[in-house]
């Protein structure tokens, strides 16, 4: 512990925001740092704080060489503060202030709204670390173990990124919010994290890969829309975070892809043609495809809830205020103010799901969610190609947006994955067909055994096609403490 406490963080915090000359912010960060380390030690990866992990660290913002790989103990990770380079004479790309010079300071009239956006984003970062803290103990390989730790330290860095914004631009309330970010806990009854999906458990590796595929992708969409912000420091912070976020989704997509591949190969080898022969497939020590589909239903629907209500005045206000834009705002061809345009929204009208044209301004969440769905679908298409290549008859499908929702238009109704509305009895009698049951969870759990021999993988997941940082297949990604 001693070298953790005595870290000289005026030099150990890599940053490109000139912290050494920004004494006040540096002092605020220094005061926050011990609490962060405390949080990391109690809520970060359980049992692996002494392990040497082959991690990448962000050391620059050069797109070609921003990261450096090395063995490091996680508590000594260099959580840096890195903003994408300032774009000369950047203009606000949307909203009421469209075309005005981007703000370098917080506009007084939007202070509260902006702080709330930063806090909500910031709260998700430590939450996922908390959700994933036990996964090291059941890692299917050292390669996968290293990946979860990489995601964890980077979510830690994303927390730093948001805390920097709070401490530099929001004075005393910013410092209080930064403190609160270390107090809330995922799943805690009294002090839960702010958003639903971040209070769910991540009990096994299939859940983890689903989480990084679906929920980190929600994170990507939120960061993309904040990267458009008229408040330039937030925009620059989010742009750099997106470079790291890409790896998190890679971990999810390839993790599930490798799981599917292993299942299909095992089925082929055993001569099982029918994917619904669940018990026979499970006897091979792999996860049957229908159960993977159920997990997909669960994680997709939880992640849709993160986008908020389809029609939302909060979202309209944030857009109007030029604080939070749309996905790839600058590539959209319209007035960027949404003064008169409409956007189609699926709504519940007289007990039926109907497409209704809403003012585009209030349908901002819906639009972002549609972009998200399209992005998810591309991943599913790649998974389906894996199944095709091995030659199994099965296809993964995203469920209808009305399925299993707790927020927005469809929270009061029950719908099948097809979108068919059901009465309560019909839902209750069939929901275990669509969502993971306790048995499914127990089965997945039964496969979760730690594999730590370099180059070896658990029965249920195929090896990756290439190593991290081009390392060979038997590379020792984690050196466990003796
Ligand atoms: Fe993140
Ligand atoms: Fe992430």
């Amino acid at each position: 512990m001693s070298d953790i406490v005595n870290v000289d963080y005026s030099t150990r915090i890599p940053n490109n925001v000139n912290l050494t000359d920004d004494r006040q912010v540096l002092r605020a960060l220094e005061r926050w740092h011990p609490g962060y380390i405390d949080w990391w030690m109690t809520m970060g990866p359980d049992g692996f704080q002494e392990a040497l992990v082959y991690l990448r660290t962000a050391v620059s913002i050069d797109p070609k060489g921003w990261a450096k790989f090395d063995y490091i103990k996680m508590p000594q990770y260099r959580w840096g503060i890195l903003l994408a380079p300032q774009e000369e004479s950047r203009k606000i790309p949307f909203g009421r202030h469209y075309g005005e010079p981007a703000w370098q300071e917080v506009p007084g009239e939007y202070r509260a709204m902006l702080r709330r956006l930063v806090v909500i984003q910031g709260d998700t970062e430590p939450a996922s670390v908390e959700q994933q803290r036990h996964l090291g103990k059941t890692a299917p390989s050292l390669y996968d173990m290293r990946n979860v730790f990489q995601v964890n330290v980077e979510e830690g860095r994303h927390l730093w990124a948001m805390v920097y914004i709070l401490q530099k631009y929001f004075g005393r309330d910013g410092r209080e919010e930064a403190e609160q970010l270390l107090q809330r806990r995922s799943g805690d009854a009294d002090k839960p994290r702010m958003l639903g999906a971040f209070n769910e458990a991540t009990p096994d590796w299939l859940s983890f890969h689903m989480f990084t595929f679906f929920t980190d992708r929600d994170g990507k969409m939120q960061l993309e829309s904040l990267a458009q912000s008229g408040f330039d420091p937030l925009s620059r912070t989010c742009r750099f975070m997106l470079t790291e976020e890409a790896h998190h989704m890679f971990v999810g997509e390839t993790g599930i892809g490798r799981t599917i591949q292993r299942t299909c190969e095992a089925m082929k080898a055993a001569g099982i043609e029918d994917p619904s022969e669940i018990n026979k497939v499970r006897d091979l020590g792999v996860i049957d495809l229908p159960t993977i589909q159920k997990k997909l239903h669960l994680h997709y629907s939880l992640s849709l809830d993160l986008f908020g209500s389809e029609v939302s005045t909060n979202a309209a206000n944030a857009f109007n205020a030029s604080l939070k834009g749309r996905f790839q705002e600058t590539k959209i061809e319209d007035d960027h103010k949404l003064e008169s345009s409409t956007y189609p929204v699926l709504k519940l009208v007289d007990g039926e799901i109907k497409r209704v044209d809403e003012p585009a301004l209030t349908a901002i969440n819906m639009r972002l969610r549609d972009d998200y769905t399209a992005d998810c679908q591309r991943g599913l298409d790649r998974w389906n190609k894996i199944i095709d290549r091995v030659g199994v008859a099965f296809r993964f499908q995203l469920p209808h947006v009305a399925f299993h929702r707790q927020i927005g238009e469809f929270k009061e109704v029950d719908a099948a994955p097809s979108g068919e509305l059901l009465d309560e009895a019909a839902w209750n009698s069939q929901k275990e067909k669509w969502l993971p049951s306790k048995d499914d969870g127990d089965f997945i759990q039964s496969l979760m055994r730690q594999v730590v021999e370099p180059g070896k993988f658990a029965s249920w997941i195929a090896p990756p096609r290439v190593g991290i940082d081009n390392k060979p297949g038997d590379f020792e990604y984690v050196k466990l403490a003796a």
Side-chain angles (χ1 to χ4, degrees):
M1 265 309 268
S2 66
D3 47 341
I4 296 157
V5 176
N6 298 318
V7 174
D8 176 6
Y9 33 81
S10 73
T11 55
R12 282 193 68 115
I13 304 175
N15 73 88
N16 64 349
V17 291
N18 206 8
L19 270 187
T20 25
D21 288 341
D22 201 346
R23 301 304 297 173
Q24 220 186 335
V25 175
L26 182 61
R27 283 226 320 276
L29 284 170
E30 283 175 351
R31 269 197 299 263
W32 185 78
H33 184 263
Y36 172 81
I37 291 295
D38 230 40
W39 167 81
W40 179 269
M41 296 305 284
T42 49
M43 297 312 293
D46 187 24
F48 296 89
Q49 305 285 6
E50 288 296 312
L52 284 167
V53 188
Y54 192 70
L55 292 175
R56 73 173 183 189
T57 303
V59 289
S60 109
I61 46 166
D62 179 352
K64 282 187 232 104
W66 61 274
K68 134 180 165 300
F69 286 86
D70 207 351
Y71 283 107
I72 189 163
K73 289 185 185 178
M74 285 183 279
Q76 283 150 30
Y77 188 78
R78 296 175 55 159
W79 282 287
I81 292 162
L82 296 150
L83 276 60
Q86 189 166 348
E87 240 173 75
E88 193 120 2
S89 56
R90 175 172 176 257
K91 299 274 191 291
I92 296 175
F94 66 92
R96 193 183 294 148
H97 302 279
Y98 176 71
E100 295 174 20
W103 303 307
Q104 300 305 324
E105 295 296 330
V106 176
E109 54 183 318
Y110 304 138
R111 200 184 143 85
M113 206 194 299
L114 189 55
R115 192 185 67 204
R116 173 119 187 118
L117 289 173
V118 173
V119 168
I120 290 176
Q121 179 61 42
D123 192 66
T124 65
E125 313 289 357
S128 61
V129 176
E130 294 162 4
Q131 288 168 293
Q132 295 160 13
R133 71 182 296 251
H134 297 295
L135 290 172
K137 286 173 244 171
T138 54
S141 72
L142 290 181
Y143 167 89
D144 292 288
M145 187 189 281
R146 176 260 168 217
N147 282 352
V148 69
F149 295 159
Q150 182 71 62
V151 170
N152 293 161
V153 292
E154 286 176 352
E155 300 305 5
R157 204 201 67 75
H158 293 175
L159 173 59
W160 275 84
M162 291 298 123
V163 163
Y164 168 73
I165 296 282
L166 287 170
Q167 294 191 331
K168 177 152 175 75
Y169 296 98
F170 291 91
R172 186 216 286 231
D173 11 324
R175 288 195 293 279
E176 277 165 15
E177 294 285 12
E179 222 19 73
Q180 288 302 310
L181 285 167
L182 294 176
Q183 301 305 322
R184 287 185 288 272
R185 291 286 182 270
S186 175
D188 191 282
D190 300 324
K191 283 190 281 182
R193 291 294 173 184
M194 296 169 85
L195 302 175
F198 291 89
N199 287 303
E200 299 279 333
T202 307
D204 58 70
W205 278 77
L206 183 57
S207 304
F208 169 62
H209 288 145
M210 289 287 174
F211 186 95
T212 42
F213 182 86
F214 286 108
T215 308
D216 280 75
R217 191 176 309 275
D218 158 71
K220 165 187 158 180
M221 301 309 285
Q222 303 301 334
L223 291 175
E224 287 274 6
S225 50
L226 292 173
Q228 306 294 333
S229 185
F231 180 52
D232 206 41
L234 180 61
S235 162
R236 293 170 55 202
T237 300
C238 291
R239 270 184 277 151
F240 187 74
M241 288 161 78
L242 281 163
T243 57
E244 292 164 313
E245 208 55 54
H247 178 65
H248 307 179
M249 284 171 292
F250 163 88
V251 168
E253 183 177 330
T254 56
I256 296 167
R258 290 159 53 211
T259 306
I260 294 166
Q261 167 134 17
R262 183 72 197 97
T263 299
C264 291
E265 285 170 356
M267 285 171 66
K268 273 280 159 192
I272 302 171
E273 291 291 328
D274 181 358
S276 65
E277 293 202 77
I278 286 171
N279 290 331
K280 275 198 197 169
V281 174
R282 288 183 176 185
D283 284 346
L284 305 172
V286 296
I287 306 172
D288 54 285
L289 300 177
T291 296
I292 297 175
Q293 173 71 62
K294 288 193 210 175
K295 292 289 281 186
L296 184 161
H297 282 155
L298 175 66
H299 285 264
Y300 177 69
S301 57
L302 288 172
S303 298
L304 288 184
D305 281 343
L306 292 171
F307 289 84
S309 291
E310 289 83 349
V311 176
S312 156
T313 44
N314 276 345
N317 290 340
F319 183 87
N320 238 339
S322 303
L323 297 179
K324 188 177 175 189
R326 292 169 293 176
F327 182 55
Q328 301 188 329
E329 180 72 46
T330 51
K331 292 187 187 154
I332 300 171
E333 284 188 26
D334 64 6
D335 67 353
H336 299 284
K337 293 184 170 185
L338 304 180
E339 278 166 344
S340 55
S341 49
T342 60
Y343 190 85
V345 176
L346 287 184
K347 297 184 84 170
L348 202 60
V349 182
D350 302 328
E352 274 181 68
I353 300 173
K354 291 223 168 96
R355 198 168 285 273
V356 178
D357 282 335
E358 288 285 333
L361 196 53
T362 53
I364 285 284
N365 286 344
M366 183 71 207
R367 178 177 182 128
L368 189 65
R369 210 186 70 192
D370 282 343
D371 289 329
Y372 168 81
T373 296
D375 210 40
C376 289
Q377 184 60 51
R378 283 190 281 275
L380 261 74
D381 292 345
R382 287 188 285 269
W383 294 338
N384 285 331
K385 280 213 188 85
I386 296 174
I387 304 178
D388 288 347
R389 258 197 313 264
V390 186
V392 171
F394 191 88
R395 293 202 83 64
F396 287 112
Q397 278 183 322
L398 291 175
H400 192 279
V401 294
F403 173 76
H404 189 238
R405 298 299 305 283
Q406 272 125 68
I407 286 182
E409 276 299 307
F410 305 110
K411 67 176 180 213
E412 306 291 351
V413 295
D414 289 315
S418 64
E420 184 198 348
L421 294 175
L422 304 170
D423 62 33
E424 212 185 316
W427 166 259
N428 282 331
S429 68
Q430 296 177 90
K431 68 177 179 203
E432 293 211 341
K433 263 184 7 202
W434 301 320
L435 289 168
S437 65
K438 182 169 180 312
D439 275 3
D440 296 329
D442 289 348
F443 167 69
I444 295 169
Q445 207 51 254
S446 76
L447 295 179
M448 297 296 130
R449 297 216 189 90
Q450 194 189 51
V451 176
V452 294
E453 198 181 322
K456 292 275 185 293
F457 290 80
S459 65
W460 57 272
I461 191 164
R465 268 190 292 162
V466 278
I468 294 295
D469 194 28
N470 284 316
K471 292 295 173 204
D474 60 352
F475 185 72
E476 193 176 5
Y477 287 100
V478 183
K479 294 181 181 174
L480 298 168

